[in-house]
Amino acid sequence: MILLTGFEPFGGEHFNPSFAIARQAARILGGQGLQVRAAELPCVFATAPAVLDDLLEAHRPSVVISLGLAAGRTTMGLEKVAINHIDARIADNAGDQPIDRPVIIGAPAAYFSTLPLKAALQALREPAPGRDAIEVGISYSAGSFVCNQMFYSLMHRTTGVPGIHAGFIHVPWMDATHPGLEEMAKAVAAVALLALDNAAEPLLSAGTEY
Ligand code: PCA
């Protein structure tokens, strides 16, 4: 079973492309006969992890991909690292703005994604039947807001559990200069399939110098 999540709008916006992309990717995967569920998470520090827990409990997925909007970015970012730290620059949708707090007290400083990020990078840079090539990158910081909190909570619950791949992808706004909904949904569906297939990780540089 594949679980895809996106976030509700936040920061005064009326739309968040992350859930639209999750829903469209779920349609694509469902159309291929796979068991899949798309869910929208609240952009609220106090409730998002519990909503995630309920989804994990109810669906027992083998692949979980959470999506969130990274408004300043121009390409999709496959997040590598979730940190046990919250430092909110703006208030969440409940008006809460926690600063310098752990996501989970006493838990490890960080977790890595268990999605096959390099295999995804390599695959998505090439066109495939039914989809064009898309420029994506590996990101080494998911920020310190609700997306990182969610990503950290997801990895805290799933790391070391056999048979589950989980991780986070940040998406840009959709406009004329960025990839569109369908293109990004196809990319997310492709990453889910690679995770389901336990794709091996190629040795491929995607790092940055700073
Ligand atoms: N993006 C925010 C929170 C919800 C979302 O879609 C973030 O990157 O933390």
Side-chain angles (χ1 to χ4, degrees):
M1 197 273 170
I2 300 167
L3 173 64
L4 304 175
T5 71
F7 275 101
E8 65 184 5
F10 67 103
E13 298 288 350
H14 297 289
F15 179 65
N16 188 331
S18 65
F19 181 53
I21 293 167
R23 223 174 18 197
Q24 183 59 16
R27 275 193 210 109
I28 293 168
L29 292 163
Q32 297 176 17
L34 292 157
Q35 293 261 44
V36 56
R37 165 85 207 272
E40 188 179 39
L41 299 177
C43 189
V44 175
F45 285 107
T47 56
V51 175
L52 172 73
D53 278 355
D54 288 350
L55 288 164
L56 294 176
E57 187 64 35
H59 299 292
R60 306 254 161 205
S62 48
V63 173
V64 186
I65 303 181
S66 288
L67 306 175
L69 169 67
R73 296 201 196 158
T74 54
T75 54
M76 289 176 66
L78 310 174
E79 298 294 349
K80 175 73 180 177
V81 193
I83 57 171
N84 191 11
H85 187 67
I86 296 172
D87 184 357
R89 191 181 60 75
I90 58 171
D92 70 8
N93 285 356
D96 193 15
Q97 189 181 355
I99 294 171
D100 293 353
R101 236 184 42 195
V103 175
I104 299 171
I105 295 167
Y111 287 106
F112 286 148
S113 172
T114 50
L115 296 175
L117 301 188
K118 293 289 180 77
L121 194 75
Q122 191 172 52
L124 293 174
R125 284 177 172 173
E126 299 295 328
R131 95 176 149 73
D132 295 331
I134 178 169
E135 186 55 37
V136 301
I138 306 263
S139 163
Y140 290 94
S141 172
S144 54
F145 194 49
V146 182
C147 285
N148 174 73
Q149 183 213 31
M150 248 292 304
F151 181 23
Y152 185 90
S153 302
L154 173 63
M155 299 321 301
H156 185 72
R157 275 147 189 77
T158 61
T159 299
V161 177
I164 176 161
H165 292 283
F168 197 95
I169 300 177
H170 261 123
V171 298
W173 275 118
M174 300 179 290
D175 67 25
T177 58
H178 299 156
L181 170 70
E182 190 63 29
E183 201 180 348
M184 290 198 272
K186 283 179 181 173
V188 170
V191 178
L193 290 175
L194 287 166
L196 211 54
D197 289 350
N198 287 309
E201 287 285 76
L203 204 56
L204 178 73
S205 171
T208 55
E209 288 141 87
Y210 52 85

